Amino acid sequence: MSFWSMILAFSPWVAFKLLLQLPVQNELLLLKGAIVVAALICAYRAIKGLDKGIIAWGSGLFFLLSLIMVVGLTNIWYMKHLGLFSSGTLAALTWASIVQGKPFTLVYAKQKVAMQYWDSPGFIHKNYKISGAWGVSFSIGLIDAFVRQLYPEMPGYMSEIIDDGAMILAILYTTHLSKAPKEMMRTDSVDA
């Protein structure tokens, strides 16, 4: 899974997060706009058949629900807990993919790896490790969002450092493992 594959896979979330950083006075309008853009990206990717995995479909459902709750209903309770819901969605989807025996990164890795390796223990093991790193990253984001709920006076930059730092580490780990030698793709069993 390359850096750009990750960006594309999480493009609704990347757009959502980046748009929320814009210096706009009307924060509600900004939030609604960011949700609309993210939902449109999900819809476009689904219509074009660009996404087939649990992250894509879960993201689509999350942003559809957010369209209803924030854009349609302006539900204040939902908006106050949006950080928990977004981080929780990503963490739950990632861990669910691992528990199901289909780490979410397999969908993206198969786009870059020859079909002969798809069932190899090394390839599958590598994807469990990468998906696990993302699960840890999203779980850190969830814990961070929960702490923000408990301590709203906590400076926003601290939360961003924690959340972004966990994602940067997951990206670096993914990039490192994706460049691992071909021996990692062996077809015999893999020791943990």
Side-chain angles (χ1 to χ4, degrees):
M1 186 173 193
S2 72
F3 173 77
W4 294 110
S5 295
M6 283 184 284
I7 296 297
L8 289 175
F10 292 109
S11 57
W13 297 96
V14 171
F16 181 65
K17 185 167 179 117
L18 289 176
L19 288 172
L20 289 178
Q21 303 305 314
L22 293 175
V24 176
Q25 287 184 352
N26 189 334
E27 290 182 11
L28 178 59
L29 183 61
L30 180 64
L31 176 60
K32 288 182 175 188
I35 289 170
V36 168
V37 168
L40 287 172
I41 292 170
C42 288
Y44 174 80
R45 293 184 61 78
I47 290 167
K48 291 292 187 178
L50 300 174
D51 290 321
K52 296 174 177 72
I54 190 171
I55 295 290
W57 291 106
S59 298
L61 289 173
F62 171 82
F63 285 112
L64 175 62
L65 178 62
S66 295
L67 269 174
I68 294 166
M69 298 300 286
V70 176
V71 178
L73 302 174
T74 313
N75 185 301
I76 302 299
W77 180 86
Y78 185 86
M79 288 187 285
K80 283 183 180 179
H81 296 89
L82 194 58
L84 278 171
F85 296 146
S86 61
S87 296
T89 296
L90 287 168
L93 292 170
T94 301
W95 292 120
S97 78
I98 291 170
V99 169
Q100 288 178 337
K102 299 175 185 172
F104 84 91
T105 55
L106 279 173
V107 173
Y108 307 101
K110 286 180 178 180
Q111 296 171 357
K112 303 288 182 190
V113 174
M115 187 185 273
Q116 69 191 40
Y117 297 115
W118 290 5
D119 294 323
S120 74
F123 178 71
I124 293 168
H125 182 71
K126 183 189 287 192
N127 278 279
Y128 271 106
K129 290 169 77 173
I130 292 171
S131 292
W134 283 100
V136 169
S137 172
F138 296 141
S139 296
I140 289 170
L142 176 60
I143 292 166
D144 176 53
F146 182 70
V147 169
R148 272 189 312 219
Q149 292 286 316
L150 293 176
Y151 303 101
E153 68 278 359
M154 184 173 93
Y157 71 87
M158 284 179 60
S159 184
E160 287 301 318
I161 289 170
I162 293 167
D163 193 41
D164 293 347
M167 278 196 241
I168 288 168
L169 288 174
I171 289 169
L172 292 172
Y173 185 73
T174 301
T175 303
H176 169 71
L177 273 189
S178 296
K179 293 179 180 178
K182 291 274 187 206
E183 296 85 50
M184 189 69 179
M185 300 298 218
R186 65 185 187 263
T187 55
D188 56 335
S189 64
V190 176
D191 296 328

